[in-house]
Amino acid sequence: MRVYCSYSDSELAFLLTQGDELAFTEIYNRFYGLLFIHANKRLNDDEEAKDVLHQLFESLWVKRLQVAPDGNLSAYLYTAVRNRVLDVFAHQKVESKYIDSLQDYIDQDHVSTDYMVREKQMALLIEQEIDALPPKMREIFILSRKENKSHKEIALELGLSELTVKTQVKNALRILKSRLGVVIYVVFLLKTYR
């Protein structure tokens, strides 16, 4: 009966390539503790380090034919752990970027939704103030600003002088400016002249 704990690393590596499960078990027992410390030192996470080693030993058994039987088994395993730790960091970085971009999207969507709500509120406020104008003034103002008719066209349509139309529009704008405040008034003007 073979005593695997007395075998050198290269002898165990050779037996591993032959599919010897006991050699694999000896390699696992011999290196697990040191490799765990090595992985955990970099990852700072016991569970993550255990996952890395679980994947490493699983891969070692599956790819046992690729292990160089006369190579340095210890160096092979440490390199494999280092590569897997780097994979974990790369995955975390991608995950973090994804979460950041998702958060940016949510934030922008929130800002855009907030803006749309405010814009609707502002439009409603403007409409209410236009509706509160005296009836004739309101009619002239709507024809001028919403239907984009000239003072001359409005005068002809309503049977008024151009000067009356001009004065009514001017008075409507003055009233709206005082009721809405300068900022909302300017926004209103920008929207009507787009």
Side-chain angles (χ1 to χ4, degrees), residues 10-192:
S10 55
E11 287 172 320
L12 288 171
F14 173 76
L15 291 170
L16 177 67
T17 62
Q18 304 304 303
D20 188 324
E21 290 180 23
L22 293 173
F24 173 78
T25 303
E26 178 57 32
I27 292 168
Y28 180 89
N29 292 335
R30 188 176 293 185
F31 288 99
Y32 185 89
L34 294 170
L35 292 173
F36 176 80
I37 292 167
H38 182 67
N40 198 29
K41 203 181 283 185
R42 276 145 188 78
L43 293 169
N44 246 354
D45 184 329
D46 286 0
E47 292 307 309
E48 197 79 65
K50 285 176 186 172
D51 285 349
V52 162
L53 291 186
H54 174 75
Q55 291 167 12
L56 168 71
F57 281 106
E58 186 180 316
S59 173
L60 180 65
W61 179 254
V62 171
K63 298 179 180 178
R64 61 188 175 275
L65 295 175
Q66 296 171 17
V67 174
D70 53 351
N72 185 337
L73 183 62
S74 172
Y76 174 84
L77 292 171
Y78 275 98
T79 301
V81 166
R82 189 194 69 219
N83 291 340
R84 286 180 184 278
V85 166
L86 291 174
D87 287 348
V88 168
F89 286 143
H91 179 71
Q92 286 172 346
K93 200 171 183 181
V94 167
E95 210 172 57
S96 174
K97 272 186 182 173
Y98 173 74
I99 289 168
D100 288 348
S101 69
L102 185 62
Q103 189 59 53
D104 287 348
Y105 174 77
I106 289 167
D107 291 346
Q108 285 171 3
D109 191 46
H110 172 71
V111 168
S112 140
T113 304
D114 190 45
Y115 174 77
M116 283 164 49
V117 166
R118 285 185 203 196
E119 195 173 23
K120 280 181 183 171
Q121 288 172 338
M122 208 181 303
L124 189 65
L125 182 64
I126 291 167
E127 287 303 317
Q128 286 171 345
E129 291 304 331
I130 290 170
D131 288 345
L133 292 171
K136 197 51 134 179
M137 185 186 287
R138 181 176 66 237
E139 185 181 9
I140 292 169
F141 185 79
I142 289 170
L143 289 171
S144 169
R145 289 299 188 259
K146 291 194 174 178
E147 295 183 22
N148 295 318
K149 292 189 177 184
S150 68
H151 292 166
K152 189 174 187 174
E153 289 171 326
I154 297 168
L156 284 170
E157 189 176 319
L158 299 178
L160 301 168
S161 72
E162 265 187 74
L163 183 60
T164 302
V165 170
K166 188 176 180 181
T167 305
Q168 290 282 28
V169 169
K170 201 171 169 181
N171 288 341
L173 288 172
R174 189 176 39 76
I175 291 167
L176 289 173
K177 186 176 180 182
S178 69
R179 287 185 186 163
L180 295 171
V182 176
V183 174
I184 296 176
Y185 174 73
V186 168
V187 169
F188 165 71
L189 286 178
L190 290 172
K191 283 185 174 303
T192 56

